Amino acid sequence: MNAVESIVSVLKQRGFDYEASEGDTLLFRGHLLCQGQPHAVALAVDVSGLTLPEFQLLNIPRQLKPIAPHIGQDGFLCYAARGSIVLDIFDMPAQVLACIDRAESVYAEVLAGKRAKDLEDEFFAYWGTSICLADIDPYLSTPVEAIFYQNAKAKSKAEPLLVISNVPKQTKIKLECLGMIPVPNRVARVCRVKTNQAPMPMQDKWPPKSVEEVLRWQSYLGDGNCRRKLESHLINALNADLNGAFCLIESPLISYGFAVSFNRNGGKPNSIYNRLAVRELIYQSQLQTFSIVRIDDVYLAQRNNPMNRNLHGLNITLIGCGTIGGYLAELMVKAGVGTSTGRLTLVDNDSLMPQNVGRHRLGFNHILQNKAEALAEELTRSSPSLNARPLPVDALQAYLGKEDLIIDATGEEALGHALAHKYQGPDFKPILKVWIEGPGIAVRSLLTPVPDSACARCLNDDQRTVLYPSTQEAIPLELLGQGCESLYVPFPATVSVQAACLAMEHLSDWAMEQPSPRLRTKILNNHFTIATPDIDPLKRSTCPACAMVV
């Protein structure tokens, strides 16, 4: 008996009748038994086992209307989150039966009212399908405005996209990357209100269609202050002779919003409007609900690692935009460097040559361009609001200004010593150095966060003997190349990526005020044994770079 026949046979014994096939999907009709009562459902089973079986209620009970937890408006029952169950593709009949048992259990709890709290987690499934993009820097107090955008190539009748922002210039740059342009004369007031209550739909009447209904819902949630602020903002917008407003409600976990259109019947607010008449007009005004989709730089950088400090607002200089620096710069931008009030300075006076492309973040399209300028251009293309400052100059001649951190990704030992010496004493700046040992044997990073910590030159004694070797075995010297290509150390691009990742982890720890261990080593070649575990190296009193302050 093949898989299809097995599934059909097992489900028939469970009371599900086979109806048809659509590709790899088998369609059945049957019942879920809950509280001793049968509830008719349609069942769709993916024979491959790559997706969960789907249950659709054919008759939604009256007590579950207009909304109920785990039940979509089309009657589909959400009994398991995607990815929470991995089906055994080699035993699909048993897996389908297990899903039926789970669906019956969840649906029984929904009928008994035990899943009402889950409506908080499923709020956006019931709030509305309209999308509003939000580009709001949470660290700026500038006013938020609503701007309508449309596709530059779309017809005039196309529905515009609503965007709210307190950094409109940055938002415009972002939307232009998507081929969007602002709609002339379509800017609306944004009423921004904070609440301490998580949103949860009302099960008797949903979603709200008017201001009166949304204000009643806020009272139902228990935040009377939020209700009063919303009402006050809308009254002010009406009295300001506006045709509508957008209300943004920011709860502890999520933000949501709605747009209000005032039904004036051709009239304008004036002295004949008394307070009752104004409230009546406000309450009767219709609204459109919007799900908020954040596109601000802080959120994009922090979403994947919310427990760590975001790197926005910092001024960081990256010296060396080569094989390590290119990948490291991209990781830093993903983590928020160069966003909000921060800046990413890229320093490199070298040009990208054809022989560099094999292990460089930059590609063939940037050949013969200055690396710092090309990297800034490349990063800004994917992060349009990035504040990147390329400096195509010698690192020791660059004027950096007030920097929170300098990163040396050049891999040049002498330059590392010179930088350590230059930024000592009253000119001290924290420095993070990252480099590759030999032909990709190991990658290392050294952080000098405060003046009394070891600099790059402190890793050697006065006779330049290495004090903290990376491996117990000697690092081989391998050089390739000749002629105009010049000599180079061979290693694959994966080594550069490993070095960039090590430096990024060190940078993140520094931002979290956890700089130790300040010297970190990662062995990449299994034929070598680590000699110096991660450690805090000592500052040497006779170090010519950092002990002598000129």
Side-chain angles (χ1 to χ4, degrees):
M1 185 181 295
N2 61 33
V4 173
E5 292 174 340
S6 299
I7 294 173
V8 172
S9 176
V10 168
L11 287 182
K12 186 172 182 62
Q13 298 176 31
R14 189 67 179 255
F16 283 82
D17 296 325
Y18 171 74
E19 289 199 331
S21 297
E22 295 180 355
D24 290 335
T25 302
L26 306 180
L27 304 178
F28 299 85
R29 289 290 179 102
H31 296 84
L32 295 179
L33 293 177
C34 303
Q35 301 174 344
Q37 299 294 323
H39 297 265
V41 295
L43 170 61
V45 178
D46 178 6
V47 179
S48 69
L50 299 179
T51 58
L52 293 175
E54 293 183 343
F55 297 88
Q56 183 180 23
L57 298 170
L58 300 180
N59 298 295
I60 301 177
R62 181 178 300 177
Q63 70 268 28
L64 300 183
K65 295 180 179 180
I67 65 166
H70 297 279
I71 299 176
Q73 295 181 353
D74 47 10
F76 282 96
L77 175 65
C78 177
Y79 63 94
R82 180 178 297 178
S84 63
I85 296 179
V86 179
L87 299 179
D88 183 355
I89 63 175
F90 302 107
D91 189 10
M92 281 302 297
Q95 297 296 291
V96 175
L97 291 179
C99 288
I100 293 176
D101 292 339
R102 184 179 179 91
E104 287 181 339
S105 175
V106 170
Y107 189 46
E109 292 184 347
V110 171
L111 289 170
K114 297 180 180 180
R115 291 275 185 159
K117 188 68 174 176
D118 292 352
L119 286 172
E120 287 186 11
D121 298 328
E122 302 172 358
F123 174 72
F124 280 129
Y126 308 104
W127 178 242
T129 58
S130 298
I131 297 296
C132 171
L133 300 184
D135 191 13
I136 300 175
D137 189 326
Y139 298 95
L140 296 180
S141 58
T142 49
V144 179
E145 61 183 38
I147 312 166
F148 290 88
Y149 279 82
Q150 65 182 9
N151 191 308
K153 298 180 180 180
K155 297 180 181 179
S156 58
K157 294 183 179 180
E159 187 70 21
L161 175 66
L162 178 61
V163 183
I164 56 176
S165 171
N166 66 346
V167 282
K169 291 183 178 179
Q170 291 185 12
T171 303
K172 185 173 182 291
I173 295 173
K174 291 179 180 178
L175 272 294
E176 285 177 346
C177 291
L178 303 177
M180 308 289 289
I181 58 174
V183 179
N185 303 319
R186 288 291 301 274
V187 178
R189 174 176 294 185
V190 174
C191 306
R192 189 178 181 184
V193 178
K194 294 184 181 295
T195 178
N196 56 5
Q197 296 294 326
M200 185 174 73
M202 295 176 65
Q203 292 182 253
D204 60 340
K205 189 174 184 180
W206 195 262
K209 300 295 184 182
S210 66
V211 172
E212 181 180 13
E213 292 179 1
V214 82
L215 293 179
R216 181 168 67 91
W217 171 54
Q218 287 296 319
S219 296
Y220 164 79
L221 293 178
D223 192 345
N225 190 45
C226 179
R227 173 198 168 113
R228 287 187 291 272
K229 287 183 178 180
L230 286 172
E231 184 176 323
S232 176
H233 280 309
L234 291 173
I235 289 175
N236 291 337
L238 178 68
N239 289 332
D241 201 15
L242 300 177
N243 292 322
F246 183 86
C247 294
L248 172 65
I249 303 176
E250 298 170 304
S251 74
L253 295 179
I254 61 173
S255 297
Y256 56 99
F258 58 89
V260 179
S261 298
F262 300 136
N263 182 17
R264 303 179 183 278
N265 294 321
K268 295 183 178 181
N270 51 45
S271 59
I272 66 172
Y273 275 87
N274 56 46
R275 295 179 62 183
L276 292 178
V278 168
R279 278 186 167 80
E280 183 66 23
L281 192 154
I282 290 291
Y283 290 170
Q284 294 177 357
S285 296
Q286 300 300 297
L287 59 84
Q288 179 182 0
T289 57
F290 284 86
S291 294
I292 304 298
V293 177
R294 293 179 61 180
I295 62 171
D296 59 279
D297 297 322
V298 172
Y299 170 75
L300 296 180
Q302 207 164 22
R303 178 182 181 274
N304 292 332
N305 200 6
M307 302 307 295
N308 283 0
R309 178 188 170 187
N310 191 271
L311 300 176
H312 68 275
L314 297 176
N315 292 332
I316 296 181
T317 290
L318 174 64
I319 297 176
C321 300
T323 182
I324 299 176
Y327 295 111
L328 177 55
E330 184 170 31
L331 292 176
M332 288 196 294
V333 171
K334 295 290 186 184
V337 175
T339 60
S340 190
T341 57
R343 183 187 66 234
L344 172 61
T345 299
L346 302 170
V347 180
D348 201 312
N349 62 350
D350 196 11
S351 296
L352 184 73
M353 302 302 291
Q355 59 267 28
N356 302 143
V357 172
R359 62 186 187 192
H360 206 286
R361 168 60 182 82
L362 296 173
F364 199 85
N365 57 317
H366 288 294
I367 282 179
L368 302 183
Q369 286 185 302
N370 172 263
K371 291 179 181 178
E373 294 177 335
L375 187 58
E377 176 186 328
E378 186 77 10
L379 295 173
T380 305
R381 183 176 291 110
S382 58
S383 300
S385 59
L386 173 67
N387 181 13
R389 179 181 64 155
L391 294 180
V393 299
D394 181 273
L396 295 176
Q397 304 300 320
Y399 174 74
L400 301 182
K402 186 177 181 180
E403 297 297 296
D404 296 293
L405 180 71
I406 295 174
I407 300 177
D408 174 16
T410 63
E412 298 179 15
E413 185 176 2
L415 178 61
H417 298 170
L419 289 173
H421 182 66
K422 178 177 181 179
Y423 295 110
Q424 283 300 313
D427 297 323
F428 175 81
K429 298 182 189 298
I431 297 178
L432 173 62
K433 180 177 176 61
V434 57
W435 70 97
I436 297 169
E437 297 270 82
I441 304 301
V443 293
R444 310 189 84 181
S445 64
L446 172 70
L447 178 64
T448 307
V450 292
D452 62 354
S453 53
C455 74
R457 185 62 175 82
C458 289
L459 302 184
N460 304 317
D461 63 15
D462 292 340
Q463 287 71 44
R464 297 191 64 188
T465 301
V466 178
L467 298 175
Y468 306 92
S470 58
T471 62
Q472 295 180 13
E473 302 80 8
I475 298 291
L477 176 62
E478 293 186 22
L479 295 173
L480 296 179
Q482 59 184 8
C484 62
E485 184 179 357
S486 73
L487 298 177
Y488 68 96
V489 180
F491 54 81
T494 53
V495 173
S496 305
V497 174
Q498 294 269 22
C501 291
L502 179 66
M504 188 65 230
E505 292 169 359
H506 214 157
L507 171 60
S508 298
D509 289 344
W510 167 79
M512 294 287 291
E513 299 182 352
Q514 298 173 355
S516 297
R518 295 193 295 272
L519 176 61
R520 304 183 183 187
T521 306
K522 184 174 183 180
I523 304 297
L524 304 182
N525 190 316
N526 292 332
H527 294 96
F528 288 77
T529 308
I530 191 168
T532 306
D534 293 350
I535 191 175
D536 287 333
L538 299 176
K539 181 183 179 73
R540 294 197 306 109
S541 60
T542 58
C543 175
C546 66
M548 300 174 57
V549 178
V550 178

